């Protein structure tokens, strides 16, 4: 049971309308050494696609890559920030979303509206990595997040999460694999890795 990655993206007022990574932390220590670089690229690519295409609100997805299935939560705010957290499937999805909300709140508390400035328009331009790493480490054991789950307002809000396949974000003519082939974020081997991924469960439902 682990948190694999956390991201804070800015998706408004960015070049070419492509979300930029304000801060991130990725842990691929559980993956074989020689494929860690490819895994990081693939995780970053998938997270950016979700940041760009997910709707305002809270969404959750499952995606299979390199024979591993991951849970992914997106918390997208109207102010232009979106958080993406990726965990293994054993990690409770509701806790994943609550941790995502904490990450965004901590980022906003630290930088207020500084990140809205147009000069912050490139990846990792306004890092908060150590704080993000500490938060992900704190909640690596979901039992540490029990107090979060006991808060009635948070729990009721989390029930509104939409749980769907990653493929549901794409237009009919698009797919994750096709976009990966066109991406400059990925090396050849990372594109090969993502070409082997497949979305799970085309249905969409409300988590209750």
């Amino acid at each position: 049971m682990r948190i694999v990655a956390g991201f804070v993206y800015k998706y408004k007022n960015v070049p070419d309308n492509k979300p930029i990574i304000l801060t991130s932390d990725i842990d691929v220590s559980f993956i074989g050494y020689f494929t860690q670089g490819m895994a990081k690229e693939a995780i970053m690519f998938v997270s950016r696609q979700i940041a760009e295409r997910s709707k305002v609100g809270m969404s959750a997805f499952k995606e299979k890559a390199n024979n591993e299935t991951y849970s992914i939560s997106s918390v997208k705010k109207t102010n232009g920030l979106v958080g993406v957290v990726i965990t293994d499937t054993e990690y409770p999805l509701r806790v994943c979303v609550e941790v995502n909300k904490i990450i965004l709140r901590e980022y906003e508390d630290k930088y207020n509206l500084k990140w809205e400035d147009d000069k912050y328009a490139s990846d990792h331009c306004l890092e908060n990595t150590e704080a993000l790493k500490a938060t992900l480490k704190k909640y690596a054991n979901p039992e540490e997040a029990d107090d979060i789950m006991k808060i009635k307002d948070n729990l009721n809000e989390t029930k509104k999460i939409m749980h769907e396949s990653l493929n549901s974000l794409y237009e009919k003519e698009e797919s994750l694999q096709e976009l990966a082939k066109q991406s400059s974020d990925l090396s050849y081997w990372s594109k090969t890795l993502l070409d082997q991924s497949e979305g799970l469960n085309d249905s969409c439902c409300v988590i209750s």
Side-chain angles (χ1 to χ4, degrees), residues 82-100:
V82 53
V84 178
V85 173
I86 300 175
T87 72
D88 63 16
T89 53
E90 294 181 7
Y91 196 94
L93 192 53
R94 289 198 184 115
V95 180
C96 177
V97 174
E98 293 300 331
V99 171
N100 201 338

Side-chain angles (χ1 to χ4, degrees), residues 27-82:
D27 176 17
V28 291
S29 60
F30 61 98
I31 296 174
Y33 176 79
F34 292 105
T35 57
Q36 286 182 4
M38 291 185 292
K40 280 187 175 182
E41 288 185 2
I43 288 168
M44 191 172 297
F45 168 76
V46 170
S47 71
R48 199 189 302 268
Q49 290 296 311
I50 291 173
E52 178 180 357
R53 295 165 181 271
S54 60
K55 298 177 182 178
V56 170
M58 297 177 291
S59 301
F61 311 88
K62 288 189 181 294
E63 181 67 13
K64 187 173 183 180
N66 201 26
N67 296 319
E68 296 288 341
T69 303
Y70 299 96
S71 296
I72 309 170
S73 75
S74 164
V75 177
K76 194 168 194 175
K77 306 185 69 173
T78 56
N79 65 3
L81 288 183
V82 53

Side-chain angles (χ1 to χ4, degrees), residues 43-166:
I43 288 168
M44 191 172 297
F45 168 76
V46 170
S47 71
R48 199 189 302 268
Q49 290 296 311
I50 291 173
E52 178 180 357
R53 295 165 181 271
S54 60
K55 298 177 182 178
V56 170
M58 297 177 291
S59 301
F61 311 88
K62 288 189 181 294
E63 181 67 13
K64 187 173 183 180
N66 201 26
N67 296 319
E68 296 288 341
T69 303
Y70 299 96
S71 296
I72 309 170
S73 75
S74 164
V75 177
K76 194 168 194 175
K77 306 185 69 173
T78 56
N79 65 3
L81 288 183
V82 53
V84 178
V85 173
I86 300 175
T87 72
D88 63 16
T89 53
E90 294 181 7
Y91 196 94
L93 192 53
R94 289 198 184 115
V95 180
C96 177
V97 174
E98 293 300 331
V99 171
N100 201 338
K101 290 158 65 178
I102 289 173
I103 289 170
L104 285 175
R105 184 168 65 247
E106 289 178 345
Y107 192 87
E108 290 177 282
D109 288 345
K110 180 176 177 64
Y111 291 111
N112 197 8
L113 299 177
K114 185 177 180 180
W115 53 271
E116 288 187 339
D117 195 309
D118 288 345
K119 70 180 180 181
Y120 297 112
S122 60
D123 282 346
H124 305 288
C125 57
L126 201 58
E127 287 280 23
N128 192 32
T129 305
E130 292 308 311
L132 174 58
K133 189 186 295 289
T135 299
L136 296 181
K137 183 177 180 180
K138 178 179 180 181
Y139 295 112
N141 179 356
E143 291 181 3
E144 294 295 323
D146 274 350
D147 288 342
I148 300 173
M149 301 308 296
K150 291 174 183 176
I151 300 174
K152 184 175 183 296
D153 289 344
N154 280 355
L155 185 56
N156 286 342
E157 188 177 359
T158 306
K159 286 182 179 179
K160 301 173 185 176
I161 302 166
M162 297 304 294
H163 187 190
E164 52 196 342
S165 76
L166 192 54

Side-chain angles (χ1 to χ4, degrees), residues 37-39 41-42 180 183-194:
M38 291 185 292
E41 288 185 2
S183 174
S184 59
D185 286 342
L186 298 168
S187 65
Y188 168 79
W189 292 111
S190 295
K191 290 178 181 180
T192 301
L193 177 68
L194 271 170

